[in-house]
PDB file of all heavy atoms in Angstrom:
ATOM      1  N   VAL A   9      83.437  66.495  98.093  1.00  0.00           N
ATOM      2  CA  VAL A   9      83.613  67.937  98.050  1.00  0.00           C
ATOM      3  C   VAL A   9      84.222  68.611  99.345  1.00  0.00           C
ATOM      4  O   VAL A   9      84.922  69.485  99.362  1.00  0.00           O
ATOM      5  CB  VAL A   9      82.431  68.731  97.482  1.00  0.00           C
ATOM      6  CG1 VAL A   9      82.069  68.144  96.192  1.00  0.00           C
ATOM      7  CG2 VAL A   9      81.259  68.599  98.419  1.00  0.00           C
ATOM      8  N   PHE A  10      83.612  67.926 100.409  1.00  0.00           N
ATOM      9  CA  PHE A  10      84.215  68.532 101.736  1.00  0.00           C
ATOM     10  C   PHE A  10      85.596  68.259 101.980  1.00  0.00           C
ATOM     11  O   PHE A  10      86.211  69.211 102.377  1.00  0.00           O
ATOM     12  CB  PHE A  10      83.345  67.728 102.729  1.00  0.00           C
ATOM     13  CG  PHE A  10      83.756  68.076 104.203  1.00  0.00           C
ATOM     14  CD1 PHE A  10      83.766  69.378 104.674  1.00  0.00           C
ATOM     15  CD2 PHE A  10      84.179  67.117 105.059  1.00  0.00           C
ATOM     16  CE1 PHE A  10      84.098  69.692 106.008  1.00  0.00           C
ATOM     17  CE2 PHE A  10      84.518  67.342 106.331  1.00  0.00           C
ATOM     18  CZ  PHE A  10      84.574  68.598 106.883  1.00  0.00           C
ATOM     19  N   TYR A  11      86.085  67.154 101.644  1.00  0.00           N
ATOM     20  CA  TYR A  11      87.556  66.798 101.780  1.00  0.00           C
ATOM     21  C   TYR A  11      88.367  67.769 100.938  1.00  0.00           C
ATOM     22  O   TYR A  11      89.416  68.412 101.436  1.00  0.00           O
ATOM     23  CB  TYR A  11      87.862  65.390 101.370  1.00  0.00           C
ATOM     24  CG  TYR A  11      88.068  64.446 102.535  1.00  0.00           C
ATOM     25  CD1 TYR A  11      86.871  64.204 103.415  1.00  0.00           C
ATOM     26  CD2 TYR A  11      89.277  63.974 103.038  1.00  0.00           C
ATOM     27  CE1 TYR A  11      86.995  63.288 104.466  1.00  0.00           C
ATOM     28  CE2 TYR A  11      89.428  63.173 104.121  1.00  0.00           C
ATOM     29  CZ  TYR A  11      88.307  62.848 104.809  1.00  0.00           C
ATOM     30  OH  TYR A  11      88.417  62.057 105.920  1.00  0.00           O
ATOM     31  N   PHE A  12      88.050  67.873  99.612  1.00  0.00           N
ATOM     32  CA  PHE A  12      88.889  68.757  98.857  1.00  0.00           C
ATOM     33  C   PHE A  12      88.872  70.151  99.127  1.00  0.00           C
ATOM     34  O   PHE A  12      89.742  71.040  98.934  1.00  0.00           O
ATOM     35  CB  PHE A  12      88.569  68.462  97.307  1.00  0.00           C
ATOM     36  CG  PHE A  12      89.200  67.182  96.842  1.00  0.00           C
ATOM     37  CD1 PHE A  12      88.393  66.191  96.456  1.00  0.00           C
ATOM     38  CD2 PHE A  12      90.668  66.991  96.783  1.00  0.00           C
ATOM     39  CE1 PHE A  12      88.985  65.002  96.062  1.00  0.00           C
ATOM     40  CE2 PHE A  12      91.185  65.853  96.414  1.00  0.00           C
ATOM     41  CZ  PHE A  12      90.400  64.731  96.051  1.00  0.00           C
ATOM     42  N   GLY A  13      87.586  70.607  99.630  1.00  0.00           N
ATOM     43  CA  GLY A  13      87.533  71.969 100.145  1.00  0.00           C
ATOM     44  C   GLY A  13      88.336  72.284 101.232  1.00  0.00           C
ATOM     45  O   GLY A  13      88.911  73.396 101.338  1.00  0.00           O
ATOM     46  N   ILE A  14      88.482  71.347 102.165  1.00  0.00           N
ATOM     47  CA  ILE A  14      89.210  71.508 103.322  1.00  0.00           C
ATOM     48  C   ILE A  14      90.590  71.469 103.091  1.00  0.00           C
ATOM     49  O   ILE A  14      91.508  72.457 103.636  1.00  0.00           O
ATOM     50  CB  ILE A  14      88.958  70.460 104.334  1.00  0.00           C
ATOM     51  CG1 ILE A  14      87.531  70.521 104.988  1.00  0.00           C
ATOM     52  CG2 ILE A  14      89.943  70.357 105.473  1.00  0.00           C
ATOM     53  CD1 ILE A  14      87.306  71.810 105.745  1.00  0.00           C
ATOM     54  N   ILE A  15      91.238  70.654 102.254  1.00  0.00           N
ATOM     55  CA  ILE A  15      92.683  70.599 102.038  1.00  0.00           C
ATOM     56  C   ILE A  15      93.087  71.628 101.099  1.00  0.00           C
ATOM     57  O   ILE A  15      94.430  71.809 100.793  1.00  0.00           O
ATOM     58  CB  ILE A  15      93.120  69.206 101.439  1.00  0.00           C
ATOM     59  CG1 ILE A  15      92.477  68.910 100.164  1.00  0.00           C
ATOM     60  CG2 ILE A  15      92.881  68.129 102.491  1.00  0.00           C
ATOM     61  CD1 ILE A  15      92.859  67.564  99.413  1.00  0.00           C
ATOM     62  N   ALA A  16      92.172  72.569 100.683  1.00  0.00           N
ATOM     63  CA  ALA A  16      92.719  73.873  99.994  1.00  0.00           C
ATOM     64  C   ALA A  16      93.593  74.605 100.894  1.00  0.00           C
ATOM     65  O   ALA A  16      94.326  75.495 100.601  1.00  0.00           O
ATOM     66  CB  ALA A  16      91.432  74.645  99.598  1.00  0.00           C
ATOM     67  N   ASP A  17      93.379  74.437 102.308  1.00  0.00           N
ATOM     68  CA  ASP A  17      94.147  75.200 103.286  1.00  0.00           C
ATOM     69  C   ASP A  17      95.674  74.786 103.281  1.00  0.00           C
ATOM     70  O   ASP A  17      96.429  75.419 103.838  1.00  0.00           O
ATOM     71  CB  ASP A  17      93.507  74.980 104.678  1.00  0.00           C
ATOM     72  CG  ASP A  17      92.467  75.985 105.087  1.00  0.00           C
ATOM     73  OD1 ASP A  17      92.265  76.891 104.335  1.00  0.00           O
ATOM     74  OD2 ASP A  17      91.928  75.786 106.093  1.00  0.00           O
ATOM     75  N   ILE A  18      96.012  73.599 102.668  1.00  0.00           N
ATOM     76  CA  ILE A  18      97.311  73.312 102.509  1.00  0.00           C
ATOM     77  C   ILE A  18      97.826  73.031 101.063  1.00  0.00           C
ATOM     78  O   ILE A  18      98.896  72.466 100.917  1.00  0.00           O
ATOM     79  CB  ILE A  18      97.749  71.999 103.243  1.00  0.00           C
ATOM     80  CG1 ILE A  18      96.703  70.842 103.012  1.00  0.00           C
ATOM     81  CG2 ILE A  18      97.658  72.248 104.899  1.00  0.00           C
ATOM     82  CD1 ILE A  18      97.051  69.473 103.754  1.00  0.00           C
ATOM     83  N   THR A  19      96.989  73.535 100.254  1.00  0.00           N
ATOM     84  CA  THR A  19      97.262  73.437  98.717  1.00  0.00           C
ATOM     85  C   THR A  19      97.735  74.696  98.201  1.00  0.00           C
ATOM     86  O   THR A  19      96.859  75.534  98.119  1.00  0.00           O
ATOM     87  CB  THR A  19      96.157  72.832  98.037  1.00  0.00           C
ATOM     88  OG1 THR A  19      95.670  71.523  98.618  1.00  0.00           O
ATOM     89  CG2 THR A  19      96.493  72.522  96.533  1.00  0.00           C
ATOM     90  N   PRO A  20      99.034  74.921  97.772  1.00  0.00           N
ATOM     91  CA  PRO A  20      99.395  76.199  97.266  1.00  0.00           C
ATOM     92  C   PRO A  20      98.603  76.425  95.986  1.00  0.00           C
ATOM     93  O   PRO A  20      98.097  75.492  95.312  1.00  0.00           O
ATOM     94  CB  PRO A  20     100.795  75.995  96.822  1.00  0.00           C
ATOM     95  CG  PRO A  20     101.296  74.851  97.842  1.00  0.00           C
ATOM     96  CD  PRO A  20     100.112  74.032  97.993  1.00  0.00           C
ATOM     97  N   PRO A  21      98.367  77.736  95.547  1.00  0.00           N
ATOM     98  CA  PRO A  21      99.039  78.969  96.160  1.00  0.00           C
ATOM     99  C   PRO A  21      98.402  79.525  97.344  1.00  0.00           C
ATOM    100  O   PRO A  21      99.043  80.230  98.036  1.00  0.00           O
ATOM    101  CB  PRO A  21      99.018  79.928  95.010  1.00  0.00           C
ATOM    102  CG  PRO A  21      97.708  79.559  94.388  1.00  0.00           C
ATOM    103  CD  PRO A  21      97.598  77.997  94.374  1.00  0.00           C
ATOM    104  N   VAL A  22      97.078  79.212  97.559  1.00  0.00           N
ATOM    105  CA  VAL A  22      96.573  79.872  98.866  1.00  0.00           C
ATOM    106  C   VAL A  22      96.431  78.868  99.907  1.00  0.00           C
ATOM    107  O   VAL A  22      95.392  78.064  99.960  1.00  0.00           O
ATOM    108  CB  VAL A  22      95.153  80.383  98.525  1.00  0.00           C
ATOM    109  CG1 VAL A  22      94.589  81.108  99.787  1.00  0.00           C
ATOM    110  CG2 VAL A  22      95.160  81.301  97.323  1.00  0.00           C
ATOM    111  N   ALA A  23      97.543  78.601 100.602  1.00  0.00           N
ATOM    112  CA  ALA A  23      97.428  77.513 101.753  1.00  0.00           C
ATOM    113  C   ALA A  23      97.618  78.143 102.933  1.00  0.00           C
ATOM    114  O   ALA A  23      98.806  78.233 103.702  1.00  0.00           O
ATOM    115  CB  ALA A  23      98.641  76.508 101.441  1.00  0.00           C
ATOM    116  N   LEU A  24      96.614  78.655 103.629  1.00  0.00           N
ATOM    117  CA  LEU A  24      96.709  79.508 104.736  1.00  0.00           C
ATOM    118  C   LEU A  24      97.308  78.745 105.943  1.00  0.00           C
ATOM    119  O   LEU A  24      98.023  79.307 106.811  1.00  0.00           O
ATOM    120  CB  LEU A  24      95.311  80.062 105.161  1.00  0.00           C
ATOM    121  CG  LEU A  24      94.608  81.035 104.280  1.00  0.00           C
ATOM    122  CD1 LEU A  24      93.302  81.430 104.624  1.00  0.00           C
ATOM    123  CD2 LEU A  24      95.647  82.159 103.831  1.00  0.00           C
ATOM    124  N   ALA A  25      96.906  77.502 106.106  1.00  0.00           N
ATOM    125  CA  ALA A  25      97.423  76.651 107.332  1.00  0.00           C
ATOM    126  C   ALA A  25      98.988  76.470 107.141  1.00  0.00           C
ATOM    127  O   ALA A  25      99.606  76.720 108.123  1.00  0.00           O
ATOM    128  CB  ALA A  25      96.770  75.371 107.408  1.00  0.00           C
ATOM    129  N   ALA A  26      99.327  76.200 105.895  1.00  0.00           N
ATOM    130  CA  ALA A  26     100.814  76.046 105.612  1.00  0.00           C
ATOM    131  C   ALA A  26     101.622  77.364 105.809  1.00  0.00           C
ATOM    132  O   ALA A  26     102.685  77.426 106.380  1.00  0.00           O
ATOM    133  CB  ALA A  26     101.054  75.471 104.303  1.00  0.00           C
ATOM    134  N   PHE A  27     100.933  78.437 105.422  1.00  0.00           N
ATOM    135  CA  PHE A  27     101.608  79.777 105.593  1.00  0.00           C
ATOM    136  C   PHE A  27     101.807  80.124 107.178  1.00  0.00           C
ATOM    137  O   PHE A  27     102.838  80.605 107.547  1.00  0.00           O
ATOM    138  CB  PHE A  27     100.868  80.885 104.912  1.00  0.00           C
ATOM    139  CG  PHE A  27     100.823  80.747 103.382  1.00  0.00           C
ATOM    140  CD1 PHE A  27     100.077  81.620 102.485  1.00  0.00           C
ATOM    141  CD2 PHE A  27     101.561  79.778 102.726  1.00  0.00           C
ATOM    142  CE1 PHE A  27     100.142  81.477 101.203  1.00  0.00           C
ATOM    143  CE2 PHE A  27     101.659  79.696 101.466  1.00  0.00           C
ATOM    144  CZ  PHE A  27     100.906  80.571 100.633  1.00  0.00           C
ATOM    145  N   ALA A  28     100.689  79.879 107.870  1.00  0.00           N
ATOM    146  CA  ALA A  28     100.781  80.072 109.272  1.00  0.00           C
ATOM    147  C   ALA A  28     101.890  79.231 109.996  1.00  0.00           C
ATOM    148  O   ALA A  28     102.679  79.684 110.847  1.00  0.00           O
ATOM    149  CB  ALA A  28      99.342  79.852 109.991  1.00  0.00           C
ATOM    150  N   ALA A  29     101.990  77.973 109.590  1.00  0.00           N
ATOM    151  CA  ALA A  29     102.972  77.095 110.042  1.00  0.00           C
ATOM    152  C   ALA A  29     104.430  77.561 109.685  1.00  0.00           C
ATOM    153  O   ALA A  29     105.342  77.426 110.558  1.00  0.00           O
ATOM    154  CB  ALA A  29     102.785  75.659 109.504  1.00  0.00           C
ATOM    155  N   SER A  30     104.586  78.100 108.502  1.00  0.00           N
ATOM    156  CA  SER A  30     105.893  78.593 108.028  1.00  0.00           C
ATOM    157  C   SER A  30     106.238  79.888 108.873  1.00  0.00           C
ATOM    158  O   SER A  30     107.413  80.160 109.070  1.00  0.00           O
ATOM    159  CB  SER A  30     105.931  78.934 106.579  1.00  0.00           C
ATOM    160  OG  SER A  30     105.086  80.122 106.420  1.00  0.00           O
ATOM    161  N   GLY A  31     105.259  80.577 109.371  1.00  0.00           N
ATOM    162  CA  GLY A  31     105.445  81.780 110.219  1.00  0.00           C
ATOM    163  C   GLY A  31     106.084  81.281 111.535  1.00  0.00           C
ATOM    164  O   GLY A  31     106.778  82.029 112.245  1.00  0.00           O
ATOM    165  N   ILE A  32     105.677  80.089 112.016  1.00  0.00           N
ATOM    166  CA  ILE A  32     106.262  79.578 113.349  1.00  0.00           C
ATOM    167  C   ILE A  32     107.650  78.915 113.141  1.00  0.00           C
ATOM    168  O   ILE A  32     108.587  79.106 113.742  1.00  0.00           O
ATOM    169  CB  ILE A  32     105.352  78.569 113.940  1.00  0.00           C
ATOM    170  CG1 ILE A  32     104.019  79.233 114.186  1.00  0.00           C
ATOM    171  CG2 ILE A  32     105.884  77.916 115.176  1.00  0.00           C
ATOM    172  CD1 ILE A  32     102.867  78.203 114.737  1.00  0.00           C
ATOM    173  N   SER A  33     107.770  78.124 111.941  1.00  0.00           N
ATOM    174  CA  SER A  33     109.004  77.455 111.638  1.00  0.00           C
ATOM    175  C   SER A  33     110.092  78.229 111.046  1.00  0.00           C
ATOM    176  O   SER A  33     111.228  77.843 111.196  1.00  0.00           O
ATOM    177  CB  SER A  33     108.707  76.231 110.721  1.00  0.00           C
ATOM    178  OG  SER A  33     108.454  76.606 109.377  1.00  0.00           O
ATOM    179  N   GLY A  34     109.826  79.416 110.529  1.00  0.00           N
ATOM    180  CA  GLY A  34     110.811  80.246 109.802  1.00  0.00           C
ATOM    181  C   GLY A  34     111.068  79.631 108.424  1.00  0.00           C
ATOM    182  O   GLY A  34     112.075  80.156 107.758  1.00  0.00           O
ATOM    183  N   GLY A  35     110.251  78.799 107.846  1.00  0.00           N
ATOM    184  CA  GLY A  35     110.487  78.132 106.670  1.00  0.00           C
ATOM    185  C   GLY A  35     109.867  78.953 105.470  1.00  0.00           C
ATOM    186  O   GLY A  35     109.232  80.055 105.733  1.00  0.00           O
ATOM    187  N   ASP A  36     110.030  78.386 104.309  1.00  0.00           N
ATOM    188  CA  ASP A  36     109.460  79.060 103.062  1.00  0.00           C
ATOM    189  C   ASP A  36     107.944  78.602 103.090  1.00  0.00           C
ATOM    190  O   ASP A  36     107.663  77.476 102.936  1.00  0.00           O
ATOM    191  CB  ASP A  36     110.264  78.671 101.791  1.00  0.00           C
ATOM    192  CG  ASP A  36     109.682  79.311 100.516  1.00  0.00           C
ATOM    193  OD1 ASP A  36     109.923  80.494 100.441  1.00  0.00           O
ATOM    194  OD2 ASP A  36     108.836  78.601  99.826  1.00  0.00           O
ATOM    195  N   PRO A  37     107.038  79.562 102.863  1.00  0.00           N
ATOM    196  CA  PRO A  37     105.598  79.175 102.893  1.00  0.00           C
ATOM    197  C   PRO A  37     105.269  78.361 101.643  1.00  0.00           C
ATOM    198  O   PRO A  37     104.436  77.400 101.960  1.00  0.00           O
ATOM    199  CB  PRO A  37     104.856  80.617 102.641  1.00  0.00           C
ATOM    200  CG  PRO A  37     105.881  81.540 103.224  1.00  0.00           C
ATOM    201  CD  PRO A  37     107.254  81.152 102.885  1.00  0.00           C
ATOM    202  N   ILE A  38     105.648  78.615 100.484  1.00  0.00           N
ATOM    203  CA  ILE A  38     105.310  77.757  99.350  1.00  0.00           C
ATOM    204  C   ILE A  38     105.839  76.328  99.554  1.00  0.00           C
ATOM    205  O   ILE A  38     105.244  75.321  99.399  1.00  0.00           O
ATOM    206  CB  ILE A  38     105.843  78.370  98.083  1.00  0.00           C
ATOM    207  CG1 ILE A  38     105.123  79.643  97.859  1.00  0.00           C
ATOM    208  CG2 ILE A  38     105.579  77.345  96.824  1.00  0.00           C
ATOM    209  CD1 ILE A  38     103.567  79.644  97.633  1.00  0.00           C
ATOM    210  N   ARG A  39     107.222  76.189 100.026  1.00  0.00           N
ATOM    211  CA  ARG A  39     107.757  74.855 100.160  1.00  0.00           C
ATOM    212  C   ARG A  39     107.068  74.214 101.265  1.00  0.00           C
ATOM    213  O   ARG A  39     106.886  72.960 101.150  1.00  0.00           O
ATOM    214  CB  ARG A  39     109.316  74.969 100.482  1.00  0.00           C
ATOM    215  CG  ARG A  39     110.160  75.263  99.280  1.00  0.00           C
ATOM    216  CD  ARG A  39     111.602  74.885  99.596  1.00  0.00           C
ATOM    217  NE  ARG A  39     112.230  75.604 100.552  1.00  0.00           N
ATOM    218  CZ  ARG A  39     112.777  76.834 100.395  1.00  0.00           C
ATOM    219  NH1 ARG A  39     112.992  77.235  99.149  1.00  0.00           N
ATOM    220  NH2 ARG A  39     113.307  77.382 101.347  1.00  0.00           N
ATOM    221  N   THR A  40     106.719  74.886 102.262  1.00  0.00           N
ATOM    222  CA  THR A  40     105.963  74.236 103.338  1.00  0.00           C
ATOM    223  C   THR A  40     104.654  73.667 102.790  1.00  0.00           C
ATOM    224  O   THR A  40     104.076  72.675 103.141  1.00  0.00           O
ATOM    225  CB  THR A  40     105.793  75.280 104.586  1.00  0.00           C
ATOM    226  OG1 THR A  40     106.977  75.787 105.087  1.00  0.00           O
ATOM    227  CG2 THR A  40     104.859  74.680 105.725  1.00  0.00           C
ATOM    228  N   GLY A  41     103.919  74.542 101.861  1.00  0.00           N
ATOM    229  CA  GLY A  41     102.671  74.134 101.406  1.00  0.00           C
ATOM    230  C   GLY A  41     102.794  72.946 100.537  1.00  0.00           C
ATOM    231  O   GLY A  41     102.064  72.016 100.556  1.00  0.00           O
ATOM    232  N   ILE A  42     103.865  72.851  99.759  1.00  0.00           N
ATOM    233  CA  ILE A  42     104.069  71.738  98.878  1.00  0.00           C
ATOM    234  C   ILE A  42     104.261  70.483  99.694  1.00  0.00           C
ATOM    235  O   ILE A  42     103.821  69.402  99.484  1.00  0.00           O
ATOM    236  CB  ILE A  42     105.324  71.985  97.974  1.00  0.00           C
ATOM    237  CG1 ILE A  42     104.961  73.088  96.901  1.00  0.00           C
ATOM    238  CG2 ILE A  42     105.729  70.689  97.174  1.00  0.00           C
ATOM    239  CD1 ILE A  42     106.088  73.562  96.090  1.00  0.00           C
ATOM    240  N   HIS A  43     105.071  70.559 100.744  1.00  0.00           N
ATOM    241  CA  HIS A  43     105.350  69.441 101.626  1.00  0.00           C
ATOM    242  C   HIS A  43     104.208  68.998 102.389  1.00  0.00           C
ATOM    243  O   HIS A  43     103.892  67.753 102.585  1.00  0.00           O
ATOM    244  CB  HIS A  43     106.532  69.776 102.667  1.00  0.00           C
ATOM    245  CG  HIS A  43     107.780  69.907 102.122  1.00  0.00           C
ATOM    246  ND1 HIS A  43     108.240  69.267 100.963  1.00  0.00           N
ATOM    247  CD2 HIS A  43     108.997  70.649 102.707  1.00  0.00           C
ATOM    248  CE1 HIS A  43     109.585  69.466 100.715  1.00  0.00           C
ATOM    249  NE2 HIS A  43     109.985  70.345 101.706  1.00  0.00           N
ATOM    250  N   SER A  44     103.266  69.995 102.788  1.00  0.00           N
ATOM    251  CA  SER A  44     102.045  69.797 103.342  1.00  0.00           C
ATOM    252  C   SER A  44     101.185  68.835 102.470  1.00  0.00           C
ATOM    253  O   SER A  44     100.523  67.852 102.857  1.00  0.00           O
ATOM    254  CB  SER A  44     101.413  70.937 103.719  1.00  0.00           C
ATOM    255  OG  SER A  44     102.076  71.708 104.744  1.00  0.00           O
ATOM    256  N   ALA A  45     101.033  69.221 101.214  1.00  0.00           N
ATOM    257  CA  ALA A  45     100.270  68.621 100.293  1.00  0.00           C
ATOM    258  C   ALA A  45     100.830  67.135  99.955  1.00  0.00           C
ATOM    259  O   ALA A  45      99.980  66.219  99.915  1.00  0.00           O
ATOM    260  CB  ALA A  45     100.211  69.269  98.935  1.00  0.00           C
ATOM    261  N   LYS A  46     102.064  67.025  99.969  1.00  0.00           N
ATOM    262  CA  LYS A  46     102.700  65.611  99.909  1.00  0.00           C
ATOM    263  C   LYS A  46     102.378  64.764 101.201  1.00  0.00           C
ATOM    264  O   LYS A  46     101.928  63.576 100.996  1.00  0.00           O
ATOM    265  CB  LYS A  46     104.207  65.715  99.787  1.00  0.00           C
ATOM    266  CG  LYS A  46     104.606  66.280  98.419  1.00  0.00           C
ATOM    267  CD  LYS A  46     106.187  66.277  98.415  1.00  0.00           C
ATOM    268  CE  LYS A  46     106.672  66.873  96.913  1.00  0.00           C
ATOM    269  NZ  LYS A  46     108.062  66.953  97.098  1.00  0.00           N
ATOM    270  N   LEU A  47     102.568  65.313 102.378  1.00  0.00           N
ATOM    271  CA  LEU A  47     102.297  64.477 103.563  1.00  0.00           C
ATOM    272  C   LEU A  47     100.681  64.167 103.528  1.00  0.00           C
ATOM    273  O   LEU A  47     100.333  63.166 104.057  1.00  0.00           O
ATOM    274  CB  LEU A  47     102.556  65.368 104.767  1.00  0.00           C
ATOM    275  CG  LEU A  47     104.060  65.552 105.092  1.00  0.00           C
ATOM    276  CD1 LEU A  47     104.270  66.517 106.213  1.00  0.00           C
ATOM    277  CD2 LEU A  47     104.548  64.109 105.519  1.00  0.00           C
ATOM    278  N   ALA A  48      99.728  65.036 103.109  1.00  0.00           N
ATOM    279  CA  ALA A  48      98.491  64.833 103.091  1.00  0.00           C
ATOM    280  C   ALA A  48      97.924  64.031 101.810  1.00  0.00           C
ATOM    281  O   ALA A  48      96.887  64.227 101.466  1.00  0.00           O
ATOM    282  CB  ALA A  48      97.716  66.218 103.204  1.00  0.00           C
ATOM    283  N   ILE A  49      98.897  63.292 101.296  1.00  0.00           N
ATOM    284  CA  ILE A  49      98.507  62.616  99.965  1.00  0.00           C
ATOM    285  C   ILE A  49      97.182  61.840 100.222  1.00  0.00           C
ATOM    286  O   ILE A  49      96.373  61.551  99.252  1.00  0.00           O
ATOM    287  CB  ILE A  49      99.605  61.679  99.485  1.00  0.00           C
ATOM    288  CG1 ILE A  49      99.338  61.183  98.129  1.00  0.00           C
ATOM    289  CG2 ILE A  49      99.918  60.685 100.494  1.00  0.00           C
ATOM    290  CD1 ILE A  49      99.269  62.259  97.012  1.00  0.00           C
ATOM    291  N   ALA A  50      96.992  61.185 101.505  1.00  0.00           N
ATOM    292  CA  ALA A  50      95.861  60.443 101.765  1.00  0.00           C
ATOM    293  C   ALA A  50      94.598  61.183 101.498  1.00  0.00           C
ATOM    294  O   ALA A  50      93.535  60.646 101.061  1.00  0.00           O
ATOM    295  CB  ALA A  50      95.903  59.946 103.220  1.00  0.00           C
TER     296      ALA A  50
END
């Protein structure tokens, strides 16, 4: 439960870490969140 609670931060629709990263990169928040979830498949 700890792992899945944590990765909620990069799982859309509420992906605060991904949204913050998109604020730096200039990217789309949702697409950044989707890519984050793919990268964090582990």
Side-chain angles (χ1 to χ4, degrees):
V9 298
F10 174 57
Y11 259 70
F12 283 114
I14 291 298
I15 59 175
D17 270 353
I18 51 172
T19 307
V22 184
L24 295 182
F27 292 175
S30 69
I32 300 173
S33 69
D36 178 77
I38 297 298
R39 282 200 297 269
T40 301
I42 292 171
H43 289 336
S44 298
K46 289 178 181 177
L47 285 172
I49 188 68

